[in-house]
Amino acid sequence: MALRGAPDYEAERAEMVERQLRRRGIQDERVLEAMGRMPRELFVPEAVRRRAYDDSALPIGREQTISQPWVVAAICQALELGGDERMLEIGTGSGYSAAVLSLLAGSVVSVERIPELVAEARLALAEFGAENVELVEGDGTRGHEPSAPYDAIAVHAAGPEAPRSLLDQLADGGRLVMPVATGPAAPQRRRRLPRSVGTDMLTVFHRVGPGEWSQGTIGPCRFVPLIGAEGFEPRNS
Ligand code: SAH
């Protein structure tokens, strides 16, 4: 039983799965189960831990956020994972989405550009006990060639377009899910870091054959910018 005043994270997690995910269209039972098992409180800083199951993104430092639970679920569902996939993730952040993906795929390589976040995510993933996740520090817009090709790729930051390197590192039949910056401002925003990230379109790219991709949209969302050689340029450069 929870102590008076102490948060009952297990109950909050079960409620999150019902109210934020199932009732809002997440139907993939494996995704619902994985998110029902994953202690999100391990991946958020002490200062916001009590809000771990809020229906929102939360700050994790260095101007970055842990994504809203529904967004993580929507990305996982769109990847249509069966359990054996070799996955690439761009934007480890807190490590939460990597941890969820570790339950849904065979192996996960996750790339993050901010070294401090890599270090913190490594600790949180070890605390949970995820053994099939490899963390890589670097520019994920270039992908991670040593383990390519990947059956599925998830990008957790919004770029001007799908990086060509990522599309190329996708296996035939594979899927890439990524928020693409949209709207009338998109051409001006291209390759320049937007002041505030506006609406992005969560988009799924399906590699149907060599050099051939089909594309569909999942819905509008808001993400932090994807910064790198095949993304936006960093501020002050
Ligand atoms: N999936 C994360 C959400 C992180 S927010 C979670 O569950 O917590 C997006 C992350 O993408 C940020 O940590 C940001 O630093 C990172 N990022 C932005 N551009 C990147 C790039 N080119 N390569 C790797 N990571 C990048």
Side-chain angles (χ1 to χ4, degrees):
M1 208 178 82
L3 295 172
R4 188 190 293 266
D8 184 348
Y9 288 127
E10 226 165 285
E12 289 185 29
R13 184 156 62 245
E15 195 174 309
M16 178 270 283
V17 169
E18 279 312 308
R19 291 202 182 166
Q20 299 178 35
L21 308 186
R22 203 186 285 277
R23 280 193 211 166
R24 280 199 227 134
I26 304 298
Q27 296 166 328
D28 185 326
E29 288 299 333
R30 294 185 70 243
V31 173
L32 294 166
E33 210 246 297
M35 292 196 52
R37 268 178 63 194
M38 186 55 59
R40 192 170 156 90
E41 64 273 18
L42 289 184
F43 296 88
V44 299
E46 185 79 53
V48 290
R49 191 149 298 152
R50 287 202 173 222
R51 295 172 54 203
Y53 293 94
D54 277 14
D55 189 9
S56 66
L58 293 170
I60 56 171
R62 290 101 189 162
E63 298 187 346
Q64 306 305 323
T65 56
I66 175 173
S67 303
Q68 179 191 19
W70 185 87
V71 167
V72 175
I75 290 175
C76 292
Q77 176 164 277
L79 290 169
E80 296 183 11
L81 300 168
D84 296 330
E85 292 82 1
R86 290 157 59 93
M87 272 229 50
L88 175 66
E89 168 179 81
I90 310 304
T92 315
S94 67
Y96 174 72
S97 54
V100 172
L101 286 167
S102 78
L103 299 178
L104 295 171
S107 62
V108 182
V109 174
S110 182
V111 186
E112 168 59 53
R113 64 184 284 271
I114 302 178
E116 294 89 338
L117 293 180
V118 177
E120 285 165 22
R122 183 163 282 130
L123 289 177
L125 284 160
E127 196 171 343
F128 173 69
E131 282 169 5
N132 54 347
V133 181
E134 181 192 348
L135 297 188
V136 176
E137 184 192 315
D139 175 9
T141 65
R142 297 285 205 207
H144 184 65
E145 191 62 47
S147 311
Y150 301 95
D151 304 306
I153 302 180
V155 183
H156 298 282
E161 62 202 346
R164 180 69 202 203
S165 298
L166 297 185
L167 291 171
D168 284 340
Q169 289 175 26
L170 202 55
D172 287 344
R175 301 165 85 81
L176 179 154
V177 176
M178 157 171 181
V180 177
T182 59
Q188 291 82 34
R189 286 171 60 185
R190 204 184 173 82
R191 304 257 337 125
R192 251 193 301 131
L193 180 62
R195 199 160 280 282
S196 70
V197 177
T199 304
D200 308 304
M201 183 55 76
L202 197 55
T203 306
V204 51
F205 299 83
H206 188 196
R207 179 154 167 162
V208 288
E212 231 185 298
W213 297 270
S214 70
Q215 180 175 336
T217 55
I218 301 165
C221 313
R222 262 163 190 248
F223 282 83
V224 297
L226 180 70
I227 296 172
E230 296 180 46
F232 289 111
E233 284 171 12
R235 230 187 286 269
N236 307 325
S237 76

